[in-house]
Amino acid sequence: MSDYRIHGATGEWEVVIGLEVHAQVTSKAKLFSGASTEFGAEPNTQVSLVDAAMPGMLPVPNAECIRQAVRTGMALEAQINPWSRFDRKNYFYADLPQGYQISQLYHPIVGEGEIEILVDEKDEGSAKRVGIERIHLEQDAGKLMHDQHPSMSYVDLNRSGVALMEIVSKPDMRSPEEAGAYVRKLRSILRYVGSCDGNMEQGSMRADVNVSVRKPGDPFGTRTETKNVNSVRFIMAAIDYEANRQVDVLEGGGFIVQETRLWDPDKAETRSLRSKEEAHDYRYFPDPDLLPVELADTFLAECRGSLPELPDAKRRRYEQVLGLPAYNAAVLTADVDTARWFEVLLEKVGDGHAVRASNWVTSELFGALNRLGKTLAESPVSPSQAAELLRLIADGTLSGTLAKQVFEIMLDTGENPGAIVEARGLRQTSDTGAIDKVIVEVLAANPDKVAEYRSGKDKLFGFFVGQTMKAMAGKANPQVVNELLREALRSS
């Protein structure tokens, strides 16, 4: 149970959160027409006669959109409804040519499911299950552009008719952190499945945020809905602001109005948009142009067979089979691109080096990319190059210090590590004669430290190791240096 509370003048308040996530379905064509869904096209260049609601035009369901919705439901361990139906949601808006939106209110394609989240990825004890109420398919509306003319708004219908999955959670979340973890996990699953690219900046995934407050243990309060929030950070901030606003209203003697609100990222606040409509306000009724959707057993079997290894299963495999630390496994499976990069690296180095590889990726590689301001997709180092570097460490060619030098050169030049080692003479040496010679020089230069070490100051051993490695420019094998130093300090 979350310990997130708002401390008001009358005591503690609990926040209750439900999210309606709109995820654009990965499909080359729209839900009921063949028009392209490619992002970034010139306004009104991807609009069919169906999208523009020309008279006599009939919608035809896109089978790929239905397939992707079913696969998503299966990934969320949800009930798949073999019989579903499209309804008309009637309302007027300038970017809705038909005067209604084709959606699924009464008989959605996917029923109840759940997602397990980790509120703190470093703490397995922070796991929580969030219920999914349903997933329904619907068509998106167009977009109004208010910055193209000083006194008029323009309409772009490129987005009109694009397929959306509306993924409706149960009101199971109790803190902004839980909501953030839920959206990140949901986005991860959608990207693994390939049913949505999860690009929140481009609007292909956005959330309507439902928030209410109550005294702990009381019935649910009246909720507000903040529309179309397009980043995890904004979702969490909107929840925090809205919950505190509601507490202030209630403690001031007022009451919460069920309404739709907007999030203003510049002012970091929500503001009222309109009163919240109910289902009857939209005059829902079955779409007379569309037959019910009936899913054959063979279709369902194909959908299930097409699912990849999902993040939770992959994380468990990494921990239980490969022996990765829980934190490494969580980080490496959180995003599908990261997991794919690591899988290629594993193929090159072998499962026996999985722990070493995971440590290197999560610390050295991610640290360097963060420092450079690059994503993994922009990494100057490929999985094959990383595998070669790890092999050079494993076979003793490179010490840890030399490996860091080689890695920095790889980041800067994109060269292969083997070529860097040969061209710059960075190979580690285990030549005992050369190392012995340097040790003699180090001990001769520090007689006072030698005397202190022999008198019982064992911690000075690290000083001698450091001086020896420095004198050999980090190229000496540390294990050999340790062995020869101990022998020299005993015998001299």
Side-chain angles (χ1 to χ4, degrees):
M1 180 174 292
S2 172
D3 57 3
Y4 177 84
R5 294 289 186 272
I6 295 172
H7 301 281
T10 62
E12 289 190 339
W13 294 80
E14 182 180 49
V15 61
V16 178
I17 305 156
L19 296 176
E20 301 167 22
V21 174
H22 295 81
Q24 181 176 323
V25 178
T26 300
S27 170
K28 292 181 180 179
K30 296 181 181 181
L31 182 55
F32 297 113
S33 83
S36 173
T37 60
E38 186 175 351
F39 180 81
E42 287 295 310
N44 296 307
T45 58
Q46 298 179 168
V47 187
S48 75
L49 296 176
V50 174
D51 307 325
M54 291 293 106
M57 294 299 103
L58 296 177
V60 178
N62 182 339
E64 177 62 14
C65 296
I66 292 170
R67 175 178 172 271
Q68 293 286 35
V70 170
R71 295 174 71 247
T72 301
M74 289 175 170
L76 300 179
E77 300 179 5
Q79 172 67 40
I80 307 300
N81 296 322
W83 190 95
S84 61
R85 189 186 72 192
F86 285 104
D87 306 300
R88 288 188 181 180
K89 178 182 182 180
N90 294 271
Y91 65 96
F92 172 79
Y93 209 64
D95 60 8
L96 192 71
Q98 295 159 307
Y100 59 84
Q101 177 189 34
I102 302 177
S103 183
Q104 293 183 312
L105 175 67
Y106 298 113
H107 299 281
I109 196 164
V110 177
E112 293 190 357
E114 64 179 9
I115 293 178
E116 182 177 66
I117 63 173
L118 276 180
V119 182
D120 180 356
E121 63 183 17
K122 296 181 180 179
D123 179 14
E124 293 286 336
S126 68
K128 174 174 180 169
R129 291 190 174 273
V130 177
I132 302 294
E133 184 71 38
R134 68 181 185 276
I135 302 176
H136 62 258
L137 279 168
E138 63 185 21
Q139 56 181 179
D140 205 351
K143 181 174 70 172
L144 291 179
M145 298 185 293
H146 305 292
D147 57 355
Q148 307 292 307
H149 191 278
S151 60
M152 293 187 291
S153 292
Y154 290 173
V155 180
D156 177 12
L157 294 181
N158 279 352
R159 207 169 65 188
S160 178
V162 166
L164 299 177
M165 294 179 287
E166 182 168 334
I167 304 167
V168 182
S169 83
K170 295 186 178 181
D172 289 347
M173 290 160 278
R174 296 293 179 268
S175 73
E177 290 71 26
E178 289 184 2
Y182 168 82
V183 174
R184 284 191 293 269
K185 183 63 174 288
L186 178 60
R187 180 179 182 272
S188 173
I189 292 171
L190 294 178
R191 282 172 49 75
Y192 265 80
V193 170
S195 58
C196 175
D197 66 18
N199 193 325
M200 300 186 81
E201 289 183 0
Q202 294 182 359
S204 58
M205 183 173 166
R206 54 194 190 267
D208 296 342
V209 183
N210 292 276
V211 175
S212 65
V213 295
R214 64 179 178 180
K215 290 296 181 72
D218 282 1
F220 287 161
T222 302
R223 64 184 171 89
T224 62
E225 179 183 40
T226 303
K227 296 287 287 185
N228 291 328
V229 189
N230 67 348
S231 83
V232 174
R233 180 166 61 89
F234 289 161
I235 288 169
M236 295 171 66
I239 291 168
D240 189 64
Y241 176 88
E242 183 60 18
N244 279 278
R245 184 194 71 84
Q246 292 184 19
V247 168
D248 290 343
V249 169
L250 292 170
E251 292 195 328
F255 60 92
I256 303 303
V257 177
Q258 184 168 327
E259 63 180 350
T260 299
R261 299 179 69 86
L262 285 179
W263 169 249
D264 186 332
D266 296 323
K267 296 182 179 178
E269 64 182 25
T270 64
R271 64 174 186 267
S272 182
L273 178 64
R274 60 178 180 266
S275 62
K276 176 65 179 173
E277 298 90 345
E278 301 291 352
H280 61 262
D281 295 316
Y282 291 112
R283 295 186 299 115
Y284 276 97
F285 61 85
D287 192 302
D289 292 333
L290 290 164
L291 292 170
V293 177
E294 297 188 24
L295 305 177
D297 290 343
T298 52
F299 175 80
L300 295 175
E302 185 276 325
C303 287
R304 190 170 296 281
S306 72
L307 291 178
E309 183 182 40
L310 295 170
D312 284 351
K314 191 179 291 289
R315 190 182 75 240
R316 284 192 297 270
R317 177 169 66 84
Y318 281 3
E319 290 182 37
Q320 297 170 9
V321 178
L322 300 181
L324 268 58
Y327 174 75
N328 288 12
V331 170
L332 293 170
T333 58
D335 180 76
V336 66
D337 289 339
T338 304
R340 286 171 180 163
W341 200 99
F342 184 66
E343 290 282 340
V344 175
L345 175 59
L346 275 182
E347 287 178 13
K348 304 291 184 182
V349 300
D351 289 355
H353 296 284
V355 174
R356 182 197 294 267
S358 75
N359 288 334
W360 184 85
V361 170
T362 55
S363 58
E364 300 295 332
L365 180 62
F366 286 173
L369 293 176
N370 186 56
R371 187 176 73 246
L372 295 171
K374 293 181 179 292
T375 65
L376 187 60
E378 300 165 330
S379 172
V381 177
S382 70
S384 296
Q385 289 175 315
E388 184 180 346
L389 179 64
L390 289 169
R391 284 196 297 270
L392 291 173
I393 297 170
D395 68 15
T397 301
L398 292 176
S399 65
T401 303
L402 289 173
K404 289 180 185 294
Q405 293 181 41
V406 172
F407 180 47
E408 288 300 322
I409 296 169
M410 292 168 68
L411 289 169
D412 188 46
T413 67
E415 291 179 74
N416 291 330
I420 293 170
V421 169
E422 295 303 324
R424 291 166 175 80
L426 294 175
R427 186 179 300 273
Q428 177 177 256
T429 180
S430 297
D431 182 346
T432 56
I435 297 172
D436 267 330
K437 181 181 176 182
V438 172
I439 287 174
V440 169
E441 293 170 356
V442 168
L443 298 185
N446 297 279
D448 53 336
K449 295 286 197 299
V450 173
E452 289 179 44
Y453 176 81
R454 290 206 179 108
S455 68
K457 291 190 176 180
D458 294 344
K459 291 183 179 178
L460 280 171
F461 186 76
F463 166 80
F464 296 119
V465 172
Q467 291 298 303
T468 305
M469 295 298 291
K470 181 180 178 182
M472 298 197 70
K475 295 179 182 178
N477 185 318
Q479 185 177 346
V480 176
V481 168
N482 275 264
E483 292 172 359
L484 295 179
L485 257 176
R486 291 190 191 282
E487 184 179 336
L489 285 166
R490 279 197 303 269
S491 59
S492 62

